[in-house]
């Protein structure tokens, strides 16, 4: 290998012959294999033993023998693999291949050499001497000097590829730039090319990106081509430069980089506008959600937005000008072909503007991008303010009924999406505690920077703050939301965007809610909602839930809890009253089956569910009172709609969410009310055997997608789980102050367990939900098991045996935990002389139930296949089962010993069993140290015996 890359005589001869003919001779194959081996070696992690130490410690040990040896080894690898002579030899070798022309570019030898060069561009770490990165910088300059011919001049290279030349070399050149960018700061990246050219690397990257953008101006619906791949790599390169993985190393672009970024953004906008124009009249558009659900396009827009933020004054001004131009042309050419073209362009500009101005804010509080805040300008001229108001004008104009006929639903979706993203960042920001901070003396540059940032914030606050233009903008957005819900009938995507994006953004912050509740538009929306207007009742279930939740959430803006509760009651009580009225009708049997009645009941249940989901301490009382007021109607509806599974499920889901929201707040008296209602609900459900379907009798249920037919049972299990959590919140109360949670939950299990057949437990969601609850109850309330009915206890044991035989590791784990809890309870009871499980510990045939599980578990561990992750939970279950049945365990041991005729095998089995109890001193309590020791012993036991027994 050293000879090959050293340019020895043999190497020169082989390489020369590889370049002869058509590049497919034997020498070419030899060179290809050698280059692949080189690539594999360079993928090693060249780090000395001291590389992982901190700098201070490494420096103190630098003179140690180990340190010197490590440094010598790394220097040896450097000289052997990436010394200037070796790298130059590889680059010259490829240069000869490059000169062979297009026919050679896709040959295996060409491909592997380029891959090696690209890999060399990404080398980092201890393989380079610690000389201030000088050696590494020279290494990158050497590589870039070769790679430049693959991609420069961009116009020529791209034209050649479009004319039929292979694109593989150009793509590898783009990948090489990306690899180099990950190792350099923006200025050092730019300087690499300036060492032997007049223009820097950033200028080349800009020209190449612009060229690819122009070449990729094709229909989005076509299959991705080489331009698509190249643009993705180049945009990722820009992302690495502008937003490094380590944000502490983020440094500003040099002046040449600012110009380069500006050129890329303007080119991208120019050609995307042309693309939008050309596709405006195409009837085969992607679906309305494509602009938002296409992950690849989302990533591309995010990368372009990052480039735009580098030059906010240029990019935002350009977007403002184009938005205003398109909007003006739409108003001047209503109904013409120009309108369609401009709408398509405005749609795209709105989406891009949303990406540039604001981050998604998912999982964190969004803030205005620093570069936008750094722009110091008057509110009227600040580029972010200008662009925002340009789009606010579009939103406001959509309120006009005449103009609205011109807008497409797709355009309205973009508007709503934009403001759902924009609101949380710009509208009435709460900057409590923020402001110009004091600057340490001697840091004048920092003081100026802070002042500029504060000036930018002042401009935005004046435009969109509470004391500025914020209330007026908020009024417009609420009107847009109300209009989208009522005037755009049947546009479900638009309505989903209003309820899931815009309205939640408006009610997320209390300071905005305070303003909302004083507005006539919000009061109008609440009034239309409360009176159950048919316009809103026609909305989809998810929109009903979200809208109800947002309206109730806005109550946080009221001055006190009494006002908030009254507001929520005014919203929800009319609907609760309608349910009570329906349930009390004498002709309910026929009246309830009318389609419009079923629809209204369903809508009310969805609204109440949405409200319950948004329960906050300030509104809890009202939502509880609403729930109590409809308890009797719900029981009536459970009975009357027993043959309407969709209504039953909605009813159950409401109760589940309501109990989950209220359980933490309930006083003992209220808890009793809720528990009694839940038991009645379970009893009614069980009485009609709702949902009890055998998989074997219905082929349609074999499909995984049809498991939703069992969602009502999962809802009931979730209800019991929520009830079981009540004790977690009432741990400070005395036992006589609160209802017996365990008794209620076990009663619920006793009611619904007969409905859950073994066939149903084959479905993962239902199975996991059931065993989660069962594990929790046996771990927390094992003493209650002795008090349930024999039939109920038998059903629990049957499902535990079922769980132990499952393939799902999670289910088996929960089953083992439940068995362990049951075993610990029984063992501790025996040590105290208590009854423990009492009569439940014996089957009808007189056999001990825990003995049965001891046999099953021993067979499981020794003879069945399972994940090693189950050994520890199995140990925790096995130990108490052994302690409860030592005689049986000894009998099982003797049976295994006697299965073998030879003494050696018998001794091996006996020794393995002896290892289980080694070092364990058993007391009346099974503490953590005993468990830990038994786990370790079980690993040794299984390692010694499992394979031996299974092969005999």
């Amino acid at each position: 290998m050293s000879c090959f890359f050293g340019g020895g005589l043999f190497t020169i001869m082989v390489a020369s012959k590889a370049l002869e003919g058509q590049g497919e001779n034997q020498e070419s194959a030899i060179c290809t294999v050698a280059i692949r081996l080189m690539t594999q070696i360079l993928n090693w992690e060249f780090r000395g033993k001291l590389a992982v130490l901190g700098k201070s410690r490494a420096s103190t040990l630098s003179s140690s023998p180990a340190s010197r040896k490590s440094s010598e080894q790394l220097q040896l690898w450097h000289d052997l693999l990436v010394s200037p002579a070796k790298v130059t030899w590889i680059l010259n070798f490829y240069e000869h291949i490059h000169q062979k022309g297009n026919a050679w570019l896709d040959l295996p030898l060409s491909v592997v050499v380029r891959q090696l060069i690209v890999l060399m561009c990404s080398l980092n770490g201890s393989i380079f001497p610690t000389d201030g990165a000088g050696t590494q910088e020279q290494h990158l300059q050497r590589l870039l000097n070769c790679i430049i011919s693959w991609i420069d001049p961009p116009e020529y290279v791209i034209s050649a590829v479009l004319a039929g030349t292979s694109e593989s070399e150009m793509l590898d050149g783009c990948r090489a730039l990306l690899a180099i960018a990950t190792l350099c700061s923006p200025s050092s990246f730019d300087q690499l090319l300036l060492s032997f050219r007049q223009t820097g690397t950033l200028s080349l990257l800009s020209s190449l990106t612009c060229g690819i953008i122009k070449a990729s101006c094709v229909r989005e619906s076509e299959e991705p081509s080489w331009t698509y791949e190249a643009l993705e790599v180049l945009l990722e390169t820009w992302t690495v430069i502008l937003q490094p993985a380590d944000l502490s190393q983020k440094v500003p672009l040099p002046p040449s980089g600012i110009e380069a970024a500006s050129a890329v953004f303007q080119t991208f906008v120019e050609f995307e506008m042309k693309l939008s124009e050309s596709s405006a009249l195409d009837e085969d558009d992607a679906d309305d959600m494509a602009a938002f659900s296409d992950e690849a396009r989302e990533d591309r827009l995010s990368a372009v937005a990052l480039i735009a933020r580098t030059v906010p004054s240029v990019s935002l001004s350009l977007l403002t000008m184009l938005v205003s131009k398109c909007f003006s042309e739409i108003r001047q050419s209503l109904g013409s072909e120009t309108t369609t073209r401009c709408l398509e362009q405005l749609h795209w500009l709105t989406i891009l503007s949303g990406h540039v101005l604001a981050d998604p804010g998912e999982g964190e509080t969004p803030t205005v991008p620093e570069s936008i805040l750094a722009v110091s300008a008057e509110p009227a001229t600040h580029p972010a303010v200008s662009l925002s108001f340009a789009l606010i004008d579009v939103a406001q104009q959509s309120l006009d009924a005449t103009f609205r006929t011109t807008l497409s639903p797709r355009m309205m979706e973009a508007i709503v999406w934009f403001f759902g993203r924009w609101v949380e960042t710009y509208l009435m920001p709460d900057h409590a505690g923020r402001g110009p901070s004091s600057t340490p003396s001697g840091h004048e540059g920092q003081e100026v920077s802070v002042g500029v940032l504060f000036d930018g914030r002042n401009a935005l606050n004046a435009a969109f703050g509470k004391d500025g233009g914020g209330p007026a903008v908020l009024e417009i957005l609420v009107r847009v939301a109300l209009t989208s819900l009522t005037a755009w009938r049947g546009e479900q995507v638009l309505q989903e965007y209003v309820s899931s994006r815009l309205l939640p953004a408006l009610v997320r912050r209390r300071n905005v809610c305070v303003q909302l509740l004083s507005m006539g538009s919000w009061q109008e929306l609440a009034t239309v909602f409360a009176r159950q207007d048919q316009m809103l009742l026609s909305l989809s279930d998810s929109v009903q839930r979200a809208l109800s939740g947002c309206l109730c959430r806005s109550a946080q803006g009221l001055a006190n809890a009494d006002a908030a509760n009254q507001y929520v009651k005014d919203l929800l009580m009319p609907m609760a009253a309608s349910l009570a009225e329906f349930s009390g009708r004498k002709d309910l049997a026929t009246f309830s089956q009318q389609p419009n009645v079923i629809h209204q009941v369903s809508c009310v249940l969805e609204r109440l569910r949405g409200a319950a989901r948004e329960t906050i301490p300030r509104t809890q009382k009202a939502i509880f009172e609403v729930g109590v007021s409809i308890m009797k109607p719900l029981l009536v509806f459970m009975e009357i709609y027993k043959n309407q599974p969709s209504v039953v499920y909605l009813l159950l889901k409401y109760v589940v969410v309501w109990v989950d929201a209220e359980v933490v707040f309930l006083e003992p008296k209220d808890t009793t009310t809720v528990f009694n209602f839940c038991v009645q609900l379970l009893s009614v459900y069980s009485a009609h055997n709702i949902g009890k379907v055998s998989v074997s009798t219905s082929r349609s249920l074999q499909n995984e997608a049809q498991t939703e037919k069992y969602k009502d049972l999962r809802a009931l299990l979730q209800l019991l789980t929520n009830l079981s959590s009540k004790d977690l919140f009432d741990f400070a109360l005395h036992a006589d102050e609160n209802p017996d949670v365990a008794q209620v939950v076990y009663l619920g299990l006793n009611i619904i367990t007969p409905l859950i057949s073994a066939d149903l437990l084959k479905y993962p969601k239902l199975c996991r939900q059931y065993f989660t609850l069962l594990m929790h109850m046996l771990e927390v309330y094992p003493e209650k098991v002795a008090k349930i009915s024999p039939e109920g206890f038998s059903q629990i044991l049957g499902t535990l045996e079922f769980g132990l035989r499952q393939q799902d590791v999670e289910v088996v784990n929960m089953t083992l935990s439940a068995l362990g809890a049951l075993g610990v309870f029984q063992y501790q009871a025996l040590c105290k002389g208590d009854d423990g499980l009492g009569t439940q510990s014996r089957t009808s045939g007189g056999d001990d139930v825990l003995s049965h599980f001891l046999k099953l578990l021993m067979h499981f561990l020794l003879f069945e296949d399972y994940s090693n992750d189950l050994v520890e939970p199995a140990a925790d279950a096995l130990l108490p089962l052994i302690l409860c049945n030592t005689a049986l365990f000894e009998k099982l041991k003797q049976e295994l010993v006697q299965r073998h005729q030879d003494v050696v095998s018998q001794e091996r089995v006996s020794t393995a069993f002896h290892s289980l109890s080694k070092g364990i001193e058993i007391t009346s309590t099974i503490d953590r140290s005993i468990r830990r020791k038994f786990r370790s012993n079980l690993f040794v036991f299984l390692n010694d015996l499992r394979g031996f027994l299974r092969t005999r």
Side-chain angles (χ1 to χ4, degrees):
M1 197 67 191
S2 175
C3 177
F4 180 81
F5 289 101
L9 179 60
F10 173 73
T11 304
I12 295 175
M13 292 175 59
V14 173
S16 298
K17 290 185 178 180
L19 297 175
E20 295 175 356
Q22 300 302 315
E24 297 181 355
N25 50 32
Q26 183 177 1
E27 289 76 8
S28 176
I30 294 173
C31 287
T32 301
V33 173
I35 294 292
R36 285 175 177 160
L37 177 58
M38 178 68 173
T39 302
Q40 292 177 359
I41 293 175
L42 285 179
N43 273 306
W44 295 353
E45 186 176 3
F46 296 99
R47 296 170 62 88
K49 294 181 179 178
L50 300 178
V52 296
L53 298 175
K55 292 184 179 179
S56 58
R57 185 178 178 190
S59 61
T60 60
L61 300 177
S62 59
S63 59
S64 67
S67 175
R68 288 195 298 271
K69 182 177 180 181
S70 177
S71 299
E72 291 171 0
Q73 290 174 343
L74 290 171
Q75 184 64 43
L76 176 62
W77 280 115
H78 174 268
D79 295 342
L80 180 63
L81 299 175
V82 292
S83 67
K86 306 299 193 304
V87 173
T88 301
W89 194 92
I90 291 292
L91 298 179
N92 290 338
F93 182 60
Y94 185 75
E95 186 62 28
H96 284 87
I97 296 176
H98 179 78
Q99 293 173 1
K100 289 285 186 177
N102 185 51
W104 279 67
L105 294 182
D106 289 331
L107 293 179
L109 178 60
S110 304
V111 172
V112 296
V113 176
R114 285 199 307 272
Q115 290 175 345
L116 176 62
I117 294 173
V118 173
L119 178 60
M120 286 180 172
C121 292
S122 63
L123 288 180
N124 195 15
S126 303
I127 195 171
F128 292 104
T130 55
D131 56 357
T135 302
Q136 185 177 14
E137 184 177 340
Q138 293 173 9
H139 168 78
L140 294 176
Q141 288 174 349
R142 194 174 298 112
L143 292 168
L144 189 57
N145 194 25
C146 169
I147 294 166
I148 198 72
S149 62
W150 308 355
I151 53 179
D152 189 61
E155 297 80 3
Y156 172 79
V157 173
I158 294 171
S159 297
V161 175
L162 290 173
T165 300
S166 172
E167 72 276 6
S168 59
E169 186 179 70
M170 187 272 296
L171 290 174
D172 282 332
C174 296
R175 298 184 186 104
L177 287 179
L178 172 59
I180 294 172
T182 60
L183 304 178
C184 303
S185 66
S187 57
S188 61
F189 179 78
D190 196 39
Q191 288 293 324
L192 289 176
L193 204 53
L194 284 173
S195 62
F196 53 89
R197 285 178 49 147
Q198 292 183 345
T199 56
T201 318
L202 287 171
S203 296
L204 172 63
L205 177 62
S206 175
S207 299
L208 184 60
T209 308
C210 291
I212 294 295
I213 290 173
K214 296 175 183 178
S216 64
C217 188
V218 294
R219 295 306 309 276
E220 289 285 341
S221 58
E222 293 182 0
E223 290 295 327
S225 64
W226 62 269
T227 57
Y228 181 91
E229 183 177 355
L231 185 56
E232 295 306 297
V233 174
L234 293 173
L235 289 178
E236 185 178 355
T237 305
W238 280 105
T239 301
V240 167
I241 292 171
L242 299 175
Q243 191 173 13
D246 185 358
L247 294 179
S248 63
Q249 299 179 355
K250 185 176 180 179
V251 294
L253 283 176
S256 59
I258 299 295
E259 297 176 4
S262 179
V264 170
F265 181 74
Q266 292 183 67
T267 302
F268 181 81
V269 171
E270 175 186 351
F271 279 85
E272 282 288 344
M273 289 288 284
K274 290 182 179 179
L275 178 62
S276 298
E277 180 180 4
S278 64
S279 63
L281 300 178
D282 190 352
E283 297 180 358
D284 190 25
D285 286 337
D287 61 69
D288 292 340
M289 290 288 287
F292 311 109
S293 61
D294 187 347
E295 184 177 348
R297 185 170 183 181
E298 179 75 15
D299 291 342
R300 177 179 294 190
L301 289 174
S302 297
V304 172
L306 193 61
I307 297 172
R309 292 178 185 179
T310 306
V311 286
S313 295
V314 174
S315 59
L316 298 182
S317 298
L318 175 62
L319 290 174
T320 302
M321 183 271 292
L322 292 173
V323 168
S324 299
K325 179 183 177 182
C326 287
F327 186 44
S328 177
E329 291 185 7
I330 291 172
R331 299 180 67 180
Q332 294 173 9
S333 58
L334 297 179
S336 67
E337 185 176 306
T338 302
T339 303
T340 305
R341 171 179 57 80
C342 291
L343 276 175
E344 190 66 27
Q345 291 178 328
L346 184 58
H347 171 270
W348 181 84
L349 288 168
T350 304
I351 297 170
L352 179 59
S353 298
H355 282 83
V356 175
L357 285 176
D359 293 317
E362 297 172 357
E364 59 184 22
T365 302
T367 57
V368 180
E370 293 180 5
S371 60
I372 294 178
L373 280 178
V375 178
S376 180
E378 294 295 323
T381 58
H382 194 285
V385 173
S386 299
L387 177 56
S388 298
F389 271 117
L391 289 163
I392 289 169
D393 288 342
V394 178
Q396 185 174 21
Q397 195 64 32
S398 71
L399 301 176
D400 181 79
T402 303
F403 183 79
R404 192 162 55 241
T405 59
T406 302
L407 295 178
S408 65
R410 190 163 177 262
M411 184 65 237
M412 283 302 300
E413 291 163 20
I415 293 172
V416 171
W417 174 88
F418 170 84
F419 285 105
R421 185 166 176 144
W422 177 90
V423 160
E424 293 191 79
T425 305
Y426 291 92
L427 186 62
M428 299 185 193
D430 183 8
H431 295 305
R434 298 185 184 181
S437 58
S438 59
T439 306
S441 59
H443 295 274
E444 297 180 0
Q446 184 178 354
E447 185 175 358
V448 172
S449 176
V450 173
V452 169
L453 288 174
F454 188 68
D455 286 344
R457 180 172 287 122
N458 277 340
L460 294 172
N461 285 345
F464 309 118
K466 175 184 176 182
D467 299 323
V473 175
L474 182 60
E475 177 74 25
I476 293 172
L477 296 182
V478 175
R479 290 289 178 189
V480 168
L482 180 58
T483 302
S484 298
L485 293 173
T486 56
W488 293 86
R489 295 193 177 186
E491 296 299 336
Q492 185 172 346
V493 174
L494 172 60
Q495 292 155 0
E496 289 280 357
Y497 270 54
V498 171
S499 62
S500 65
R501 291 179 180 269
L502 180 55
L503 291 179
L506 293 177
V507 301
R508 193 158 287 136
R509 288 175 288 133
R510 186 175 184 277
N511 64 312
V512 180
C513 290
V514 171
Q515 194 71 36
L516 270 177
L517 292 169
S518 65
M519 290 184 168
S521 55
W522 190 260
Q523 294 171 5
E524 180 182 345
L525 177 61
T527 300
V528 173
F529 175 85
R531 73 182 182 211
Q532 304 180 68
D533 191 284
Q534 289 300 318
M535 289 187 298
L536 294 186
L537 285 177
S538 64
L539 301 175
S540 67
D541 291 347
S542 60
V543 175
Q544 300 281 358
R545 289 195 302 271
L547 176 59
S548 178
C550 289
L551 286 167
C552 291
R553 186 79 181 183
S554 68
Q556 66 178 313
L558 291 167
N560 53 63
D562 290 340
N565 279 298
Q566 187 59 51
Y567 171 80
V568 171
K569 284 165 57 174
D570 290 342
L571 280 174
L572 303 181
M573 275 303 185
M575 288 174 281
S578 68
L579 290 183
E581 180 186 351
F582 285 176
S583 66
R585 290 179 64 105
K586 295 181 179 180
D587 60 344
L588 181 62
T590 56
F591 176 79
S592 62
Q593 303 305 316
Q594 297 177 19
N596 63 317
V597 175
I598 294 176
H599 174 72
Q600 186 167 352
V601 170
S602 299
C603 287
V604 170
L605 290 173
E606 288 286 44
R607 289 180 170 192
L608 294 177
R609 176 181 164 194
R613 192 169 55 185
E614 292 298 330
T615 300
I616 57 177
R618 180 167 286 199
T619 61
Q620 174 269 328
K621 182 179 178 181
I623 292 177
F624 177 74
E625 291 179 4
V626 170
V628 171
S629 71
I630 60 171
M631 283 181 174
K632 290 183 179 179
L634 291 183
L635 294 175
V636 172
F637 288 137
M638 177 66 80
E639 175 92 23
I640 205 72
Y641 285 119
K642 57 181 178 291
N643 296 319
Q644 295 285 346
S646 61
V647 180
V648 170
Y649 177 66
L650 293 181
L651 190 156
L652 292 176
K653 286 301 292 183
Y654 161 67
V655 175
V656 168
V657 174
W658 180 71
V659 169
D660 187 41
E662 296 292 335
V663 70
V664 65
F665 301 103
L666 297 180
E667 298 293 334
K669 179 180 178 182
D670 295 334
T671 301
T672 300
T673 300
V674 172
F675 281 10
N676 289 338
F677 165 69
C678 290
V679 171
Q680 292 179 63
L681 187 73
L682 290 167
S683 300
V684 173
Y685 182 91
S686 176
H688 295 287
N689 205 15
I690 302 173
K692 188 176 181 182
V693 182
S694 174
V695 175
S696 60
T697 61
S698 179
R699 292 186 178 182
S700 64
L701 302 183
Q702 299 290 341
N703 191 317
E704 181 67 21
Q706 296 299 320
T707 59
E708 290 304 313
K709 289 188 178 293
Y710 308 105
K711 56 191 178 183
D712 51 351
L713 285 175
R714 294 205 305 270
L716 289 172
L717 289 172
Q718 184 62 54
L719 174 61
L720 294 177
T721 302
N722 294 342
L723 291 175
S724 69
S725 68
K726 178 58 181 171
D727 271 0
L728 300 178
F729 304 117
D730 293 333
F731 59 88
L733 296 176
H734 297 294
D736 57 352
E737 295 180 354
N738 221 29
D740 192 334
V741 175
Q743 183 177 355
V744 173
V745 176
Y746 272 123
L747 178 59
L749 273 175
N750 198 40
I751 291 172
I752 68 171
T753 298
L755 304 179
I756 305 177
S757 66
D759 284 333
L760 295 180
L761 286 178
K762 293 177 182 178
Y763 289 85
K765 290 182 180 179
L766 181 65
C767 187
R768 291 180 184 179
Q769 183 70 59
Y770 177 77
F771 280 98
T772 297
L773 176 61
L774 191 59
M775 176 187 68
H776 172 77
M777 296 303 298
L778 289 177
E779 287 181 339
V780 181
Y781 309 109
E783 70 281 358
K784 298 295 182 181
V785 177
K787 299 179 181 179
I788 65 176
S789 66
E791 295 79 10
F793 185 74
S794 177
Q795 291 164 359
I796 289 176
L797 294 182
T799 52
L800 286 176
E801 184 170 346
F802 173 86
L804 198 59
R805 302 180 186 279
Q806 294 308 294
Q807 297 298 316
D808 189 326
V809 173
E810 186 178 348
V811 171
V812 178
N813 195 339
M814 290 187 287
T815 303
L816 291 170
S817 297
L819 278 175
L822 203 58
V824 169
F825 166 72
Q826 179 70 357
Y827 173 68
Q828 292 178 343
L830 293 176
C831 291
K832 296 176 183 178
D834 296 338
D835 290 339
L837 293 176
T839 57
Q840 305 280 30
S841 64
R842 298 281 175 184
T843 64
S844 57
D847 297 328
D848 185 82
V849 294
L850 295 185
S851 297
H852 174 68
F853 281 105
L854 175 59
K855 295 177 185 178
L856 286 178
L857 189 52
M858 286 296 296
H859 187 276
F860 172 80
L861 289 170
L862 291 174
F863 298 105
E864 297 182 21
D865 296 324
Y866 52 84
S867 168
N868 287 333
D869 295 337
L870 293 173
V871 176
E872 285 196 6
D876 293 343
L878 181 63
L879 178 59
L881 293 179
I882 292 175
L883 296 177
C884 289
N885 301 274
T886 52
L888 174 62
F889 181 69
E890 187 65 27
K891 180 181 178 182
L892 294 175
K893 167 189 169 182
Q894 293 302 322
E895 289 177 355
L896 286 174
V897 170
Q898 294 171 7
R899 287 176 55 180
H900 304 280
Q901 301 298 322
D902 59 292
V903 177
V904 175
S905 298
Q906 292 178 350
E907 182 66 25
R908 179 168 181 172
V909 174
S910 297
T911 303
F913 270 89
H914 179 73
S915 67
L916 268 178
S917 59
K918 185 177 180 181
I920 297 179
E921 296 183 4
I922 301 299
T923 63
S924 59
T925 59
I926 306 175
D927 58 27
R928 184 178 299 177
S929 62
I930 294 175
R931 290 177 185 272
R932 186 165 54 245
K933 182 61 180 176
F934 188 77
R935 291 171 187 169
S936 177
N937 290 352
L938 184 60
F939 273 107
V940 174
F941 171 78
L942 294 176
N943 186 57
D944 291 343
L945 203 57
R946 177 176 161 80
F948 171 72
L949 292 177
R950 297 186 76 186
T951 56
R952 297 292 290 181

